Amino acid sequence: MKFTYLKKMQSAIVLLAILLSGQGQGYAQINYVVESIPYQIYETTVPIEGTFDDYYSDIIEIPFDFTFFGQTYNQFVISGNGFISFNTELANTFSTWQFSNTIPNVDFPVKNVILGCYHDMNSVATGSQASRTSTVLGEAPYRQFVIAFNDMPQYYCSQFGASSSFQIILHETLNYIDIQITKKDLCLDWNNGNTVVGIIDATGTIAYSPEGRNTGAWEVTTGEGWRFKTDATASIPDNLMKNPISLYPNPSSGILNIENNSGKVLKDISFYSVTGALVKQTIDNKINISDLQNGIYIVKLQIENQILNYKLIKN
């Protein structure tokens, strides 16, 4: 079994090297697969300045090179209507809210984009608590850049409390795209309630959307996650490329984050003292441990039917 695993690891590394070298030689990776992944929201603390309702943001730097439909980028702009665009010439210009086509479609109004949850939102609505924030997680060469749309009021329906919260996550090296949706209320009285999740190339002729999340009137009441991978990397297990479970920061004095890249459901998180006493138990992946005494703890994670143990230093 050890040799089989090593062979798989070597094969995965060779394949990844081929893919990365191909990107530098102009070999376009235009085929993606879409899969459901566990719902997981990340803490984002860096504010993205500007209201930009129906506008694009200033140019935002990506902290690493990111390949999208065979082209490599290190910048993008954010639309106030729930997506990011690699067309940086659109910075600080109008961003349309009106659409009715499903994707792919050459007539779709935006292209070369990642649609986190594209629909008409109004961050300046009366009483709005909306914000857009970001963070960088992990270490090179497997960092994640997270863009969060938080408590975004929906245009026209904001008066009835309709809002949306979701995140777009870009993965370094593997070029995965994750979309995590906390909620997306239904607003049938504006633009027919149209919303879409997906990715679209620069021509509009190639696009991908999760089942049930193409253009239409739908809502999300229970958190869900989606991942877009190129078909070339889809066969490479994530845990051959990086640790499937990460606890950070460690040591920690306040908030402990648990990042689950295993593709499996995290069912339980238990904290034990060195004497074996259970001192804390939760299912949240963002845990306040400030109430624990300083010292060493064992964090026991149940991933479906598997138990994993990690050492934690509380300081």
Side-chain angles (χ1 to χ4, degrees), residues 259-301:
E259 182 178 355
N260 178 12
N261 293 306
S262 68
K264 299 178 181 179
V265 176
L266 179 58
K267 292 185 175 180
D268 182 73
I269 305 167
S270 298
F271 293 74
Y272 291 86
S273 69
V274 291
T275 63
L278 177 65
V279 295
K280 198 177 193 69
Q281 190 169 26
T282 182
I283 58 172
D284 293 330
N285 61 354
K286 184 169 63 176
I287 308 155
N288 187 342
I289 62 169
S290 61
D291 58 325
L292 298 181
Q293 295 183 356
N294 292 351
I296 297 175
Y297 294 86
I298 300 300
V299 183
K300 181 177 291 187
L301 308 181

Side-chain angles (χ1 to χ4, degrees), residues 29-219:
Q29 298 179 18
I30 60 173
N31 298 315
Y32 284 79
V33 295
V34 187
E35 63 184 21
S36 175
I37 59 174
Y39 169 67
Q40 179 174 354
I41 288 296
Y42 300 92
E43 181 179 13
T44 54
T45 56
V46 180
I48 299 171
E49 301 298 337
T51 54
F52 50 92
D53 178 48
D54 288 342
Y55 267 77
Y56 291 100
S57 67
D58 290 331
I59 293 175
I60 293 174
E61 301 291 331
I62 306 173
F64 45 79
D65 288 341
F66 184 79
T67 301
F68 183 67
F69 283 104
Q71 300 297 315
T72 300
Y73 301 93
N74 56 24
Q75 296 176 323
F76 59 66
V77 291
I78 298 177
S79 166
N81 290 321
F83 63 89
I84 64 176
S85 171
F86 294 101
N87 301 322
T88 53
E89 69 276 8
L90 297 175
N92 299 305
T93 65
F94 177 73
S95 176
T96 186
W97 54 266
Q98 191 169 20
F99 64 96
S100 59
N101 296 323
T102 57
I103 59 173
N105 194 306
V106 294
D107 294 325
F108 199 77
V110 296
K111 302 177 179 69
N112 205 26
V113 294
I114 298 173
L115 306 172
C117 232
Y118 178 27
H119 58 304
D120 192 11
M121 299 188 294
N122 182 18
S123 60
V124 297
T126 301
S128 171
Q129 299 297 314
S131 66
R132 282 161 294 263
T133 49
S134 69
T135 195
V136 180
L137 301 175
E139 298 180 357
Y142 299 114
R143 289 170 291 179
Q144 298 93 48
F145 188 32
V146 184
I147 301 294
F149 294 77
N150 310 303
D151 299 315
M152 302 292 294
Q154 296 185 27
Y155 185 78
Y156 190 80
C157 291
S158 60
Q159 58 187 312
F160 308 116
S163 65
S164 302
S165 296
F166 52 94
Q167 298 184 344
I168 300 172
I169 302 99
L170 306 184
H171 290 252
E172 183 181 16
T173 300
L174 296 177
N175 299 307
Y176 294 166
I177 301 161
D178 292 350
I179 295 175
Q180 296 282 352
I181 307 174
T182 298
K183 64 173 294 191
K184 207 294 293 185
D185 292 331
L186 196 60
C187 178
L188 293 173
D189 294 330
W190 188 254
N191 199 32
N192 296 315
N194 285 333
T195 310
V196 57
V197 173
I199 60 175
I200 311 174
D201 77 341
T203 68
T205 59
I206 303 174
Y208 299 86
S209 181
E211 183 177 358
R213 296 293 175 254
N214 212 320
T215 300
W218 47 263
E219 63 182 332

